[in-house]
């Protein structure tokens, strides 16, 4: 026999408390700060919630507390493997907390980002995680008026809205080009797609490393604003070869493009790294298992997600980090594709 419900058909918190054998205040604390309850009480309340099918009224609680228990996450893509790793870190680190993750996808549109940030501001989130540091003036104003902890992810800069965790895309690209120069490569091409602000900083690292070696040549650069695919990598490489045939290496702004270049080399019977060295970016799983294995810049995406949500939750609960900006750095994973066979 089902338990008596209110006229609206909704289970009340008092019913949850009664079934769990705790006070209504204790039951309410379970949703606001479960760590404050003993393990026994948490288990009893949790069991009662599940048995009754109780759903807390987040909107009412937001009005009472002036914020929800939602942490908003604004990212530019739900299909890009890079952000999949970041999200895995966010979810793993938030698991067991009282906070719910709510995703929003800008699809790399600054106008869509502004729209989503306005929506989040109206919903009064407990905290917010946003991608990048190149928000518009309007988006920056919205973030600064959120009245909640905000962590910017994927890169670092001099002017965080609140907190920041990431790495320098410029330094990472500069290090990749420096590696190729040290290996003796001189005609190093640049292949870029979408060309969002983070990719543009990778280009700046490439440009400055090549200029520092007095080897910069605009003819070595092929870019497009269209989204990245493996097939696109082969197409961009073919365009580069049509422009100049004396290249001996390419730096790709991500691993998808690098894999496309590797496939195109196979089609053209070009040896890697004998005829061409290849370096990618992000160090996705397939780079180590490709034949030959692909050199790539490893970015700590999972750790980025974990740090971001931990920083937000700690700040919400009054434990703000001593250092508001965390540089997770990067690692150049040198593999077969950029190591000359004579080395």
């Amino acid at each position: 026999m089902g338990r008596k419900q209110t006229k609206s058909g909704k289970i009340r918190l008092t019913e949850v408390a009664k079934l769990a054998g705790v006070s209504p205040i204790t039951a309410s604390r379970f949703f606001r700060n479960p760590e404050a309850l003993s393990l026994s009480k948490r288990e009893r309340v949790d069991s009662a919630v599940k048995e009754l099918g109780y759903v807390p009224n987040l909107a009412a609680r937001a009005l009472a507390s002036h914020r929800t228990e939602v942490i908003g996450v604004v990212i530019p893509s739900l299909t890009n493997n890079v952000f999949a790793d970041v999200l895995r870190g966010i979810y793993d680190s938030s698991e067991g907390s009282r906070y719910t993750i709510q995703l929003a996808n800008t699809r790399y549109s600054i106008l869509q980002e502004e729209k989503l940030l306005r929506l989040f501001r109206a919903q009064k989130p407990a905290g917010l995680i946003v991608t990048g540091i190149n928000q518009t003036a309007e988006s920056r104003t919205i973030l600064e008026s959120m009245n909640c902890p905000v962590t910017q992810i994927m890169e670092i800069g001099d002017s965080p809205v609140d907190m920041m965790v990431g790495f320098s895309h410029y330094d990472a690209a500069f290090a990749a080009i420096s590696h190729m120069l040290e290996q003796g490569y001189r005609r190093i091409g640049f292949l870029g797609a979408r060309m969002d602000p983070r990719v543009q900083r990778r280009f700046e690292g490439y440009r400055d490393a090549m200029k520092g070696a007095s080897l910069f040549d605009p003819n070595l650069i092929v870019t497009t604003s269209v989204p990245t695919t493996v097939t696109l990598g082969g197409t961009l490489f073919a365009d580069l070869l049509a422009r100049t045939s004396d290249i001996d290496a390419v730096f790709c702004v991500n691993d998808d493009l690098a894999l496309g270049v590797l496939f195109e080399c196979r089609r053209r019977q070009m040896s890697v790294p004998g005829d061409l060295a290849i370096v990618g970016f992000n160090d996705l799983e397939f780079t180590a298992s490709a034949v030959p294995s692909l050199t790539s810049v490893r970015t700590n995406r999972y750790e980025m997600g974990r740090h971001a949500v931990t920083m937000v939750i700690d700040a919400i609960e009054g434990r703000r980090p001593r250092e508001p900006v965390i540089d997770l750095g990067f690692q150049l994973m040198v593999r077969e594709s950029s190591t000359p066979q004579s080395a």
Side-chain angles (χ1 to χ4, degrees):
M1 189 173 97
R3 294 182 176 273
K4 185 178 178 181
Q5 299 182 353
T6 63
K7 290 182 180 180
S8 65
K10 294 182 179 179
I11 300 294
R12 290 179 173 175
L13 184 61
T14 53
E15 296 175 71
V16 173
K18 183 176 180 180
L19 181 59
V22 299
S23 69
I25 293 177
T26 298
S28 176
R29 190 175 294 126
F30 171 81
F31 296 100
R32 291 183 290 104
N33 187 15
E35 295 80 8
L37 275 62
S38 68
L39 178 60
S40 174
K41 287 182 179 179
R42 286 203 306 268
E43 290 177 343
R44 280 153 45 197
V45 175
D46 185 56
S47 177
V49 167
K50 292 176 180 177
E51 180 176 338
L52 296 173
Y54 175 74
V55 178
N57 188 334
L58 296 178
R61 286 163 59 195
L63 290 173
S65 66
H66 303 294
R67 68 183 184 192
T68 65
E69 290 179 351
V70 167
I71 295 176
V73 177
V74 182
I75 58 176
S77 173
L78 294 176
T79 57
N80 189 321
N81 286 331
V82 169
F83 295 103
D85 290 339
V86 174
L87 290 176
R88 187 164 53 86
I90 288 173
Y91 278 107
D92 283 355
S93 194
S94 62
E95 187 175 355
S97 74
R98 69 177 186 269
Y99 300 102
T100 300
I101 302 300
Q102 182 174 332
L103 298 179
N105 181 8
T106 69
R107 298 185 179 182
Y108 292 92
S109 166
I110 58 174
L111 296 180
Q112 180 69 5
E113 182 178 54
E114 289 181 6
K115 178 180 178 181
L116 291 170
L117 290 177
R118 290 192 192 95
L119 179 61
F120 271 123
R121 182 171 59 182
Q123 293 177 344
K124 300 180 180 178
L128 200 63
I129 297 171
V130 297
T131 301
I133 61 176
N134 285 88
Q135 285 77 28
T136 64
E138 176 65 18
S139 288
R140 175 100 186 187
T141 298
I142 295 170
L143 287 171
E144 291 173 344
S145 68
M146 280 287 189
N147 195 30
C148 71
V150 175
T151 299
Q152 294 162 284
I153 62 171
M154 303 305 293
E155 54 186 325
I156 55 174
D158 297 329
S159 303
V161 170
D162 184 7
M163 298 174 290
M164 188 180 290
V165 56
F167 67 101
S168 169
H169 291 254
Y170 174 94
D171 289 348
F174 193 98
I177 304 308
S178 297
H179 158 71
M180 286 190 276
L181 291 171
E182 290 167 2
Q183 297 301 309
Y185 300 109
R186 292 295 177 263
R187 297 287 288 170
I188 304 171
F190 177 93
L191 302 184
R194 193 178 291 277
M195 301 307 294
D196 62 67
R198 287 171 295 285
V199 172
Q200 290 175 27
R201 274 183 271 280
R202 295 172 204 172
F203 170 72
E204 291 166 1
Y206 161 86
R207 178 199 62 198
D208 290 353
M210 293 293 283
K211 283 187 174 181
S214 300
L215 295 171
F216 181 76
D217 181 354
N219 288 323
L220 295 173
I221 301 165
V222 178
T223 65
T224 178
S225 61
V226 303
T228 290
T229 65
V230 173
T231 301
L232 180 62
T235 301
L236 295 180
F237 180 53
D239 290 346
L240 178 60
L241 288 177
R243 180 180 298 182
T244 176
S245 61
D246 64 342
I247 60 171
D248 55 13
V250 291
F251 171 65
C252 302
V253 297
N254 58 51
D255 292 331
D256 289 342
L257 294 182
L259 186 61
V261 172
L262 180 60
F263 289 161
E264 185 65 19
C265 285
R266 290 286 182 84
R267 282 189 286 270
R268 293 171 179 261
Q269 298 184 334
M270 295 175 64
S271 170
V272 176
D275 297 323
L276 183 84
I278 305 172
V279 174
F281 201 100
N282 287 316
D283 195 40
L284 298 180
E285 183 180 6
F286 64 77
T287 58
S289 57
V291 180
S293 56
L294 289 167
T295 295
S296 186
V297 177
R298 175 173 292 177
T299 56
N300 302 299
R301 302 176 299 280
Y302 177 80
E303 291 78 7
M304 215 175 295
R306 289 186 63 90
H307 275 284
V309 77
T310 297
M311 292 168 77
V312 166
I313 291 176
D314 283 350
I316 293 170
E317 299 180 353
R319 303 185 301 274
R320 294 192 64 85
R322 292 181 180 179
E323 298 295 333
V325 178
I326 297 178
D327 184 356
L328 292 179
F330 57 88
Q331 183 179 1
L332 183 63
M333 306 303 295
V334 178
R335 301 193 179 97
E336 296 169 334
S337 70
S338 67
T339 305
Q341 295 173 342
S342 59

